[in-house]
Amino acid sequence: TQQQQQLPPPPTQQLVQQQQAPTTAQDDSNVSKEMRKRRELVKEVIKTEENYVQLLCVFWDVYAQKARQLSQLSDKDWSILFGNLELILGANRVLLQNLKAQVTLVGGTGHEEQCCIGKVFLELAPYFKMYTDFINNYDAAIDVVERLSKHKYFVNYLVECEEDPRSLEVKQSVSIHSLLINPVQRIPRYQLLLQGISEVTDEKHVDHGSVQSSLKQICEIAAHCNQSKAVSNALGVYYRLSNVLGKELGFDSFIQSHR
């Protein structure tokens, strides 16, 4: 897709050399408490992103592809369940790749506090707006799961997905409910992690400005998602009420096509 093709590439060695702070020697006795904490937070970001991408892969490669083979499942229900999941997976794969590239370029494990993690998020943040569609669709997806779970073919499908070898490799829950909620919770998770990193990133750190800017963007995206979800919920209630009242009064709906 166009969005995937335009995702930023991993940083190059030359670029990192231009951005790095002059001091690169790594002696923990000379590393401040804040920098050690920054190191642990960066490691947490990367570890949780690895786990998250692994879950997204199970959701797409196992659940979505096996669902395509269900003759009883309509195209509409498939779209509701999986939406723009492929786009989200593509963006987060690039995010994980670029985060790991930063670690490599500053000397590998044990040097994570030097990473320009803010810059990585700043480059990818605009693409996280795509989460809005998935979040807005979450309630409808849960409704589809509950409705289809009354049918044996769908129950068998869920069991088959959970017992797939690719699912069994994952230590976390791979139930469809867990996989659906993970993307909904991811942006707030980034917000918390970046907030923590911003608190231990000194103004002299080469990544300070990017951390502050990326945190601001993630907060704005989170607010946008929440606002969009609220509007979506309100419209859902309006449509349901109009259908119920319209049928009681002998109309298909209060909402007319010309309005």
Side-chain angles (χ1 to χ4, degrees):
T1 65
Q2 184 177 4
Q3 284 178 304
Q4 288 174 308
Q5 293 172 350
Q6 295 178 352
L7 288 170
T12 63
Q13 180 70 46
Q14 181 181 6
L15 180 60
V16 170
Q17 288 174 347
Q18 294 172 354
Q19 295 173 336
Q20 269 186 320
T23 302
T24 57
Q26 188 64 31
D27 181 355
D28 265 9
S29 63
N30 296 323
V31 177
S32 67
K33 179 180 178 181
E34 287 74 18
M35 286 292 276
R36 287 196 294 270
K37 187 171 183 180
R38 189 180 202 272
R39 180 191 304 166
E40 294 306 311
L41 286 171
V42 171
K43 289 166 67 175
E44 182 180 355
V45 169
I46 296 174
K47 181 60 178 176
T48 58
E49 190 64 21
E50 286 178 335
N51 294 337
Y52 177 58
V53 169
Q54 190 177 30
L55 289 170
L56 288 179
C57 286
V58 169
F59 199 14
W60 177 252
D61 295 335
V62 179
Y63 278 81
Q65 304 316 311
K66 287 182 180 291
R68 289 190 186 277
Q69 302 170 13
L70 297 175
S71 59
Q72 304 96 321
L73 186 68
S74 68
D75 291 341
K76 179 180 179 181
D77 283 344
W78 190 95
S79 295
I80 291 173
L81 286 173
F82 304 106
N84 62 343
L85 176 62
E86 186 178 17
L87 286 175
I88 291 174
L89 174 57
N92 283 91
R93 275 177 166 160
V94 173
L95 174 64
L96 179 58
Q97 177 186 14
N98 289 5
L99 289 171
K100 288 183 173 181
Q102 280 289 342
V103 175
T104 300
L105 292 171
V106 297
T109 302
H111 299 258
E112 289 89 354
E113 72 278 6
Q114 298 179 31
C115 286
C116 292
I117 192 171
K119 180 180 182 299
V120 175
F121 273 95
L122 194 59
E123 289 177 337
L124 271 296
Y127 298 93
F128 293 150
K129 291 180 181 179
M130 68 178 68
Y131 273 79
T132 303
D133 291 339
F134 193 95
I135 293 170
N136 288 345
N137 207 45
Y138 172 76
D139 291 337
I142 292 298
D143 288 343
V144 168
V145 171
E146 297 303 318
R147 171 168 53 83
L148 296 182
S149 293
K150 298 174 183 178
H151 300 280
K152 186 175 181 179
Y153 84 89
F154 193 75
V155 174
N156 291 339
Y157 152 77
L158 293 179
V159 172
E160 182 181 344
C161 288
E162 290 189 30
E163 294 180 350
D164 186 282
R166 291 165 291 183
S167 299
L168 295 176
E169 290 178 0
V170 181
K171 295 181 180 179
Q172 302 170 81
S173 173
V174 291
S175 71
I176 194 167
H177 288 88
S178 296
L179 294 174
L180 282 168
I181 195 65
N182 280 325
V184 176
Q185 298 172 333
R186 197 59 189 161
I187 299 299
R189 180 66 171 165
Y190 290 145
Q191 189 174 346
L192 288 174
L193 289 169
L194 285 172
Q195 179 63 46
I197 290 174
S198 73
E199 293 172 359
V200 292
T201 301
D202 188 88
E203 290 184 3
K204 296 180 180 179
H205 195 290
V206 66
D207 198 33
H208 179 267
S210 294
V211 168
Q212 299 300 320
S213 297
S214 61
L215 175 59
K216 180 181 178 182
Q217 282 205 29
I218 291 295
C219 288
E220 290 173 351
I221 292 170
H224 172 74
C225 289
N226 290 336
Q227 183 179 13
S228 180
K229 179 62 175 172
V231 172
S232 178
N233 288 345
L235 286 174
V237 172
Y238 177 62
Y239 281 120
R240 286 194 292 273
L241 285 175
S242 73
N243 287 333
V244 171
L245 294 175
K247 288 178 181 178
E248 288 182 355
L249 296 175
F251 299 102
D252 289 337
S253 172
F254 278 165
I255 305 174
Q256 301 298 321
S257 59
H258 64 276
R259 292 185 182 177

